[in-house]
Each structure stands twice: as C-alpha cells, then as structure tokens.
Amino acid sequence: MSEENYMRIIDLRGKELNRAQMLEAMPRAEMGTDEATELVQPILDDVKAHGAKALRAYAEKFDHVVPKSLRVPNDVMDAAVAELDPEVRAAIEESIRRARAVAKNQVPEDFHTDLAEGARVSERWIPVQRVGLYVPGGKAVYPSSVIMNAVPAQAAGVESLAIATPPNRNDPDGWPNKTILATCAMLGVDEVYAVGGAQAIAMFAYGATDVDNPTSPVLCEPVDKITGPGNIFVATAKRLVSGIVGIDAVAGPTEIAIIADKDANPEWVAADLIGQAEHDELAGSVLITDSPELADAVQASLLKRVPRTEHAERVTTSLSGRQSGIILTDSLEQSIDAANAYAAEHLEVQTADPDAVIAKIRNAGAIFRGPYSPVPLGDYMSGSNHVLPTSGTARFAAGLGVHTFMKPVEVIEYDEQGLKELASRVNAFAVSEDLPAHGESVLSRFVADPYDKATLKDQEEEAGLR
C-alpha cells in the first residue's frame, strides 16, 4: 500500500489475540480529561461562588462576547423561528416527528410481581424532575443535538428542561445560533441560556444567582441531571460534577467503525469514513475488513475524495491520527471480534449478510444495517438518537433515550400475612450478618420482646412464625 495513503494499517491477520490484546490493538484517541481538570475546577468553583457575574466574565474571556442577557428572551427565539429557512425548518420538523415517534415507544411500563399472598413488589418509572441540556457550538452548529436531548426528556415526562448553548460573537447582542434557538422554540423549550463551556455545566450543577438583577435574583435553578455532548472542557466539567448531579456520560471524540467485506462499495465506505472525520481532528474513523482488495480500493477512493471535501484539512488530520485506521482480519468472524473489542459509537455493517453479523455484535452505541443506512441518517432524522457512548464505553453503556431521563423505583407492599411468613427467616439472615436490630425490627410486629434472645424461639413459635 502506498505511503500516500491517508489511513494506517492495523494488521491482525495470522494473530490469535486474547481479550486484553485485542482491546489493546484498537485505535483510540486520548481523552485527556485529567490534564483539563486543573483548568476546569477553578471555573466550577467561581461559578458556584459568584453565579451570573462569573458567567459574564467567562463569556467575555472564552466567547469574546457578553450576551445582552444570559437567559435568551422568548421573543428572540420566536424571531429565530420566523427567520428560519423553509427547507431547514421542514427538515427539523421531520426530525422531531420521527424522534418523537420512537421516543413514545421507548417509555417503559410499570409492573408488579406477586410473590405470595399479601406479598407484592412493584416497579414505577419516575421522570427526573429537572434536566439541563448542553448544546455545543465550536466547529459546527448542532440543532440536531437539541432534538436528540429534548425529545426523549419530554417523552419521559421531565417537568423542567433548561438548555445552555454558547453565545455567538457574530451576533450584535450575543444571542446563540439562530437555528439552535429556533429548534428550541419549535420543541417548546423556553428556558434557554447563552452560556457555553464548563461554566454552563457549573450553572446547571450549582444553579446561579444574579445580584445585579434584584427583581429576579435567581438566574438558573440547579438541575438533577445534565446531558449533551461537548468539548474536552465540557466533558471534564461533567465528570467533576458527577455525583452532585447525574450525567449521561463523559463523552470522548466521535467515532465510526465499518465492518465491510469484499462485496462492499469502496466509494461509499470511503465517503462514510470522511463524513465522520469531518467532525473533529480527534474523530475516529475505522474500517474493519477481511478483504485487502477492499482496503486498497478505499484508500484509493480517499485519495480522490478527501481533497474535494470542504474540511479537507480537518479530515486529513483525523484519518491519519492514531485513533483511525484500517484493521485487516483473517475472516468475517475476526472482524466481528475486532468490532466488539472496539465497541464503536457508530457501527456500520456493510456485508453480504448483515443480519448474521449484527446477531453477533455485543458492543456498539448504534448499529447501521446495510449500505443505505449511513451514520448521517442517524445524526439527523432516522428517528434514533445520536447521543451515544464513545471511547469503547459501549461495552457497558447505552445511548441516550427516554430511559436516560427516568428512574426505576421499587415499591414494596407486604401485608401482615406476607411479612409473617418471612419474619423468622429475615431475622436469621440479619443475625448471620451481625445486624440483629434488622431482625428485631421485623419481629417486633409479631412477638412481645424480640430482644429477649433466651425466649425468642418460643415467642416465634407462639406467634406462628415457625
């Protein structure tokens, strides 16, 4: 293969790798959140202590603009809807419609289990009360992220939604991107803040007061959970406030893996790798194939396509980075093993029998079946959610959905007979753990003196517990 190729080769052919070796062989970007901590922690502390004053200072420092107000007025959002390009508006509306259709069917149902007469355990799904949704700015504008976060939260029944997105230095009033504001309005979200970066995460976690506004001193109430993607500083901030509030994940750079065989179209595979690389210089684009011929054809297609795409420099950096590569395997089975070890955020399957491959996939944020289900479809309007686990965390984590914004809570309901049947056994269990007061708590319902151990068995027999 030519030295001019964009992507490095990771050759697994002829190798029998154990689990640890396979994981180690996978291309990865470095997260670097530890290095960012020393920069982010003071921002969190400052916002916690000084609220809106600190938020304005950081807007000036990082965004080079102080918005006219930190909370975006409703009339500004309504104006953004009115000014929206009709084609873009139609696309957003269709994306919302499809996302809502899927989210509606994701809502889990309460259930109960009857274990015996008078012994029932139920499970209720309760929405998180207040959620903060972060929508990034930076290299691209993401109204799609507004949809992907807000729609499942609304379907879950979250009663209070707040969105934060960076102010726009090119707007005379510092209002955020108009397409993002319009999308918020179209979704019915009216609590939107022109606040970006780690300072937005701090505002959500701790709340923020505004001493300069005596008529409305509370700018933002603290939330219970924070979701949404962001850069390394946002990811680090979310990690640092995790435990004070819930978070969806500490997201790393975006990534795609494509399992392809000799029948895959190399031009389409190349286009999909480029599409993911466009996100960020650290984005991962990985092809996994047992066909050296396909690998050569994809490399050749990249040489033609990359220079012609608008963000060619960014794409080149991404494709040639340590986080990207072409993994050559001996067989489709080894390709599947590699894909499960890589645990891609987005996994495309472009093989002769995609269903057979998908049946063996254990680890992926989302799976895109066949050549006509490319990742950008999921980014915008497939109805699926594009907020997905990155950096191999799909081995144990799931993408964002209605479940992200709900909590399963068990309800234990035993009557007298239901508890009586188990009282003696509960006591025995408690004593074995040296927690006798646990048993005494239960036995108090049925015996006169559970603390008199000398007569306890007699008391239990008299009460019909034995």
Side-chain angles (χ1 to χ4, degrees):
M1 295 185 181
S2 168
E3 294 181 359
E4 297 177 357
N5 288 334
Y6 281 95
M7 302 181 71
R8 68 189 177 109
I9 299 296
I10 301 170
D11 196 343
L12 302 184
R13 293 175 297 178
K15 298 177 181 178
E16 293 186 9
L17 303 180
N18 61 32
R19 180 175 171 81
Q21 290 169 330
M22 182 67 85
L23 292 171
E24 183 65 26
M26 296 300 104
R28 296 285 183 206
E30 293 184 357
M31 281 286 288
T33 55
D34 291 339
E35 293 78 1
T37 298
E38 61 186 58
L39 299 174
V40 169
Q41 188 64 59
I43 296 174
L44 301 180
D45 296 339
D46 195 11
V47 172
K48 183 179 181 181
H50 301 108
K53 182 179 179 181
L55 294 173
R56 293 188 186 96
Y58 289 120
E60 185 172 22
K61 179 177 180 180
F62 297 128
D63 302 305
H64 308 293
V65 62
V66 179
K68 196 172 180 180
S69 70
L70 292 171
R71 181 162 174 171
V72 181
N74 289 347
D75 61 339
V76 173
M77 292 196 289
D78 292 339
V81 175
E83 297 171 19
L84 196 59
D85 178 275
E87 286 192 17
V88 175
R89 179 169 183 167
I92 291 172
E93 288 173 340
E94 182 63 13
S95 179
I96 292 171
R97 186 188 72 79
R98 289 174 181 256
R100 281 184 169 155
V102 173
K104 180 181 178 181
N105 286 328
Q106 284 185 339
V107 178
E109 294 185 358
D110 296 349
F111 69 88
H112 69 266
T113 304
D114 290 322
L115 298 158
E117 186 69 30
R120 170 176 288 187
V121 175
S122 306
E123 185 168 271
R124 294 180 57 214
W125 284 88
I126 303 174
V128 175
Q129 185 173 359
R130 177 164 164 79
V131 172
L133 311 177
Y134 186 77
V135 180
K139 293 182 176 69
V141 175
Y142 295 106
S144 55
S145 284
V146 181
I147 299 168
M148 299 297 168
N149 283 271
V151 166
Q154 291 172 330
V158 172
E159 71 178 51
S160 178
L161 288 179
I163 290 177
T165 190
N168 181 3
R169 73 181 70 176
N170 297 319
D171 186 280
D173 294 317
W175 304 132
N177 176 269
K178 290 184 178 181
T179 307
I180 289 176
L181 295 181
T183 305
C184 293
M186 292 165 68
L187 286 162
V189 180
D190 60 5
E191 186 181 349
V192 180
Y193 297 91
V195 180
Q199 57 270 30
I201 304 304
M203 176 186 72
F204 281 152
Y206 305 118
T209 56
D210 190 352
V211 296
D212 295 327
N213 188 356
T215 59
S216 184
V218 177
L219 171 68
C220 178
E221 296 281 9
V223 305
D224 302 309
K225 191 164 192 175
I226 300 172
T227 69
N231 63 17
I232 186 65
F233 302 105
V234 170
T236 301
K238 287 171 68 177
R239 177 174 61 83
L240 292 172
V241 301
S242 176
I244 299 170
V245 294
I247 64 171
D248 52 350
V250 178
T254 190
E255 63 204 19
I256 184 177
I258 303 174
I259 297 179
D261 60 17
K262 62 182 179 60
D263 296 319
N265 185 320
E267 301 295 333
W268 296 356
V269 171
D272 293 354
L273 294 169
I274 292 170
Q276 202 65 24
E278 181 180 40
H279 276 282
D280 188 274
E281 287 85 354
L282 291 176
S285 292
V286 176
L287 168 61
I288 306 172
T289 183
D290 60 350
S291 170
E293 295 76 18
L294 177 73
D296 283 331
V298 169
Q299 294 273 33
S301 181
L302 291 173
L303 290 172
K304 294 183 298 181
R305 288 174 173 270
V306 172
R308 300 184 63 192
T309 194
E310 181 175 349
H311 302 295
E313 185 175 351
R314 186 190 309 163
V315 169
T316 299
T317 302
S318 171
L319 293 178
S320 61
R322 58 174 289 172
Q323 74 277 8
S324 298
I326 296 177
I327 299 175
L328 290 179
T329 65
D330 282 318
S331 64
L332 189 56
E333 287 298 322
Q334 192 181 34
S335 291
I336 293 168
D337 290 343
N340 280 325
Y342 185 66
E345 177 189 16
H346 311 91
L347 176 66
E348 289 187 2
V349 179
Q350 298 192 34
T351 60
D353 187 353
D355 291 331
V357 173
I358 291 171
K360 297 179 180 179
I361 295 299
R362 300 178 63 88
N363 304 323
I367 301 171
F368 297 79
R369 179 195 181 280
Y372 295 101
S373 304
V375 166
L377 177 66
D379 286 341
Y380 298 117
M381 59 179 63
S382 67
S384 60
N385 203 293
H386 77 199
V387 183
L388 301 167
T390 61
S391 306
T393 59
R395 289 163 54 207
F396 52 82
L400 187 142
V402 171
H403 59 274
T404 306
F405 302 100
M406 303 189 81
K407 305 169 294 182
V409 177
E410 290 183 325
V411 178
I412 296 86
E413 181 187 359
Y414 275 53
D415 65 13
E416 180 180 359
Q417 185 57 39
L419 179 61
K420 186 176 183 179
E421 184 178 332
L422 295 180
S424 181
R425 293 178 180 177
V426 170
N427 181 61
F429 216 140
V431 170
S432 76
E433 292 190 347
D434 193 27
L435 296 171
H438 282 57
E440 291 154 5
S441 167
V442 172
L443 292 174
S444 292
R445 272 81 174 160
F446 305 103
V447 304
D449 186 3
Y451 304 97
D452 183 358
K453 306 306 179 184
T455 66
L456 185 56
K457 284 189 177 180
D458 292 337
Q459 293 185 70
E460 289 180 343
E461 288 179 359
E462 185 178 344
L465 303 184
R466 289 178 172 272

